[in-house]
Amino acid sequence: MSASPAAPRPNAVVAVLALAGIVVALMQTLVIPIIPELPELLDASASDAAWAVTATLLASAVATPVVGRLGDMFGKRRMLLLSLVLLISGSAVCGLSDALVPMVVGRALQGLSAAVIPLGISIMRDELPAERLAGATAVMSASLGVGGALGLPAAALIADKLDWHMLFWLSGALGAVSLVLVFALVPESAVRTGGRFDLPGGIGMAAGLASLLLAISKGGDWGWSSGTVLGLFAAAVVILLVWGWWELHTPAPLVDLRTTARRQVLFTNLASIAIGFSMFAMSLVLPQLLQLPEATGYGLGRSLLTTGLVMAPSGLVMMAFAPVSAKVSKARGPKVTLMIGALIVAAGYGLNIVLMSEVWHLVLVSCVISAGIGFAYGAMPSLIMGAVPPSETAAANSLNTLMRSLGTSVASAIAGVILAQMTVDLGGFALPSENAFKAVMAIGAGAALLAFAIASFVPRHRPAVPVTGPAATDGVATETASAH
């Protein structure tokens, strides 16, 4: 896997990396249509079957910062290829499984591929000419939403018409295509940090994140006041504090907390948590509104396949707005782009509160919110890369991706509590009430406005960051400085 193309072709590099990002995002949504049937398919209880989702969440959270750091040290393309191999392996395990344990193992392996998007963004910084960088990173960042939106209708169709194992064989096949294309067309960056990997830091971060995300994701099932959940939260606090002390005192840390504490990086990451929250709130609310029975008075009674088709345009909108985001960033700076995106997301949720009674209402709302997400996600890599040296690009982008994931996990937990507590009775079944959905939308709008407020603290100007590789000779350092 060490062979590398001699000369990078910008169009090919961008297309291949974006495809890899879409495939990884697709992997995360492919399982959604079969979640209700998983207990029967795997001969397990509903709470046990939920580990097929939780395992992916935990594995991706742990792998993203670790693999990003390894990419900076040993080669971003090398770690990208390894991530795709893990995706293919996990897909094959799931494709062959009919029991809970192999399914959880396969989903965890798939989750370990989550660093593909930040690694791809970092490769772009090292290999692309300056004039292509902003647009390319915006497209790569938007691939997360594109894969998620397109994956739902495709997965619903496959699950409805074919054996459910085909979902995973499709994921593996797409991963294999991406692997071959990356190997053939994407060059290896010469920008490396070298040094030793911070193993204690990796173990500490893994333990702290696993405790935190397990408590958040399982709090609804286990009880938020249960000893297990409170113990996990306490463990997360203690472990992450000790981990932070270690990272500040070790000569080669997994995460350079001093760099992370820089104002531009810190506030971009905090805004990323809020934007990630907003993005996932839409994913939780709109599908349920579409599928709830019409007898509720607010549900639209649509099938899962129709729901997927309604949500699909949102991914295309996100990709379409990526180049617009790049143009705004070039003209006004990525800080302004991030703030515009947050306002568009907030407006979309406000629209949803008053427009939720027709299918076209939800198509419109999802497209507006996705346009805002496209703006925001396109700006974040530019802000991060404008504040860190090239040798730390993959680690810094990976940490930013982790912050978005943390936001989505918190959104899932909070929305889950609201939808479970505010219910109406329909034929003896408790269903989320209309006001519950409106409450989640209002919180989604509030999270977007919070992201806007946080982004306002990002500095507007920074000195140029030294850049190595092809981008250096094309003036990317100057562009990076002027963009902020």
Side-chain angles (χ1 to χ4, degrees):
M1 292 199 303
S2 59
S4 182
R9 288 170 282 179
N11 289 338
V13 170
V14 173
V16 170
L17 293 176
L19 173 64
I22 290 172
V23 170
V24 168
L26 198 69
M27 169 274 298
Q28 297 176 342
T29 56
L30 278 178
V31 75
I32 290 176
I34 62 170
I35 286 177
E37 285 80 39
L38 276 178
E40 181 181 350
L41 294 174
L42 302 176
D43 192 23
S45 66
S47 59
D48 286 343
W51 282 100
V53 177
T54 306
T56 309
L57 168 71
L58 297 178
S60 62
V62 171
T64 301
V66 170
V67 174
R69 176 63 178 156
L70 290 171
D72 283 333
M73 293 175 65
F74 303 115
K76 302 175 185 74
R77 173 178 176 268
R78 180 176 296 172
M79 298 312 298
L80 180 60
L81 289 168
L82 176 61
S83 296
L84 290 170
V85 168
L86 291 170
L87 171 65
I88 297 165
S89 302
S91 300
V93 171
C94 291
L96 294 169
S97 67
D98 287 300
L100 179 64
V101 173
M103 173 64 77
V104 171
V105 171
R107 290 290 291 164
L109 286 170
Q110 286 186 317
L112 293 176
S113 68
V116 162
I117 291 176
L119 285 170
I121 291 171
S122 303
I123 290 172
M124 288 174 175
R125 181 187 191 180
D126 294 343
E127 301 300 332
L128 296 182
E131 66 273 10
R132 295 294 307 275
L133 186 59
T137 55
V139 168
M140 186 70 192
S141 197
S143 67
L144 177 65
V146 176
L150 298 182
L152 191 55
L157 182 62
I158 291 171
D160 187 45
K161 303 295 183 184
L162 302 170
D163 180 75
W164 63 275
H165 292 92
M166 286 301 298
L167 293 170
F168 299 104
W169 291 120
L170 172 65
S171 175
L174 292 173
V177 170
S178 298
L179 179 73
V180 171
L181 291 175
V182 169
F183 186 83
L185 298 173
V186 176
E188 180 61 272
S189 168
V191 181
R192 307 274 181 90
T193 60
R196 283 187 173 185
F197 179 71
D198 177 20
L199 184 59
I203 295 172
M205 174 174 260
L209 285 175
S211 299
L212 177 62
L213 292 173
L214 196 56
I216 292 173
S217 61
K218 288 293 189 179
D221 293 335
W222 295 344
W224 291 102
S225 59
S226 70
T228 302
V229 171
L230 293 177
L232 284 169
F233 277 124
V237 171
V238 173
I239 292 170
L240 290 175
L241 285 174
V242 173
W243 171 80
W245 177 89
W246 171 264
E247 294 299 281
L248 288 170
H249 290 83
T250 190
L254 174 69
V255 176
D256 188 340
L257 293 181
R258 291 179 176 84
T259 298
T260 305
R262 291 176 186 170
R263 189 172 157 191
Q264 183 157 321
V265 179
L266 176 63
F267 285 108
T268 300
N269 282 334
L270 291 175
S272 298
I273 297 175
I275 288 292
F277 186 107
S278 285
M279 177 184 174
F280 202 65
M282 172 184 74
S283 303
L284 289 168
V285 168
L286 299 190
Q288 290 196 56
L289 282 174
L290 284 161
Q291 293 180 77
L292 281 174
E294 293 184 62
T296 59
Y298 51 89
L300 299 178
R302 306 293 169 158
S303 68
L304 181 63
L305 179 57
T306 302
T307 299
L309 293 172
V310 168
M311 299 294 290
S314 64
L316 301 178
V317 168
M318 196 178 297
M319 183 65 81
F321 271 84
V324 181
S325 165
K327 289 180 180 178
V328 175
S329 293
K330 187 173 182 179
R332 306 290 298 174
K335 170 184 174 175
V336 173
T337 309
L338 176 55
M339 294 174 73
I340 291 172
L343 287 180
I344 295 173
V345 172
Y349 280 111
L351 200 62
N352 200 182
I353 292 174
V354 296
L355 292 180
M356 55 184 289
S357 59
E358 302 285 345
V359 171
W360 72 265
H361 291 172
L362 302 188
V363 173
L364 174 64
V365 165
S366 67
C367 287
V368 171
I369 294 174
S370 295
I373 296 292
F375 264 82
Y377 274 21
M380 288 171 190
S382 295
L383 287 168
I384 293 295
M385 291 189 294
V388 302
S391 59
E392 297 178 20
T393 300
N397 277 322
S398 296
L399 187 63
N400 181 250
T401 301
L402 175 63
M403 293 301 104
R404 298 185 218 175
S405 299
L406 184 60
T408 63
S409 299
V410 174
S412 177
I414 292 178
V417 170
I418 293 171
L419 297 177
Q421 295 297 321
M422 301 174 64
T423 61
V424 294
D425 185 87
L426 184 69
F429 293 94
L431 300 175
S433 68
E434 184 177 10
N435 285 334
F437 289 116
K438 290 184 176 180
V440 175
M441 295 170 203
I443 293 173
L449 292 175
L450 176 62
F452 174 85
I454 292 171
S456 69
F457 291 98
V458 173
R460 190 169 179 81
H461 297 284
R462 285 191 57 83
V465 178
V467 178
T468 58
T473 58
D474 287 325
V476 72
T478 304
E479 179 190 287
T480 302
S482 64
H484 301 95

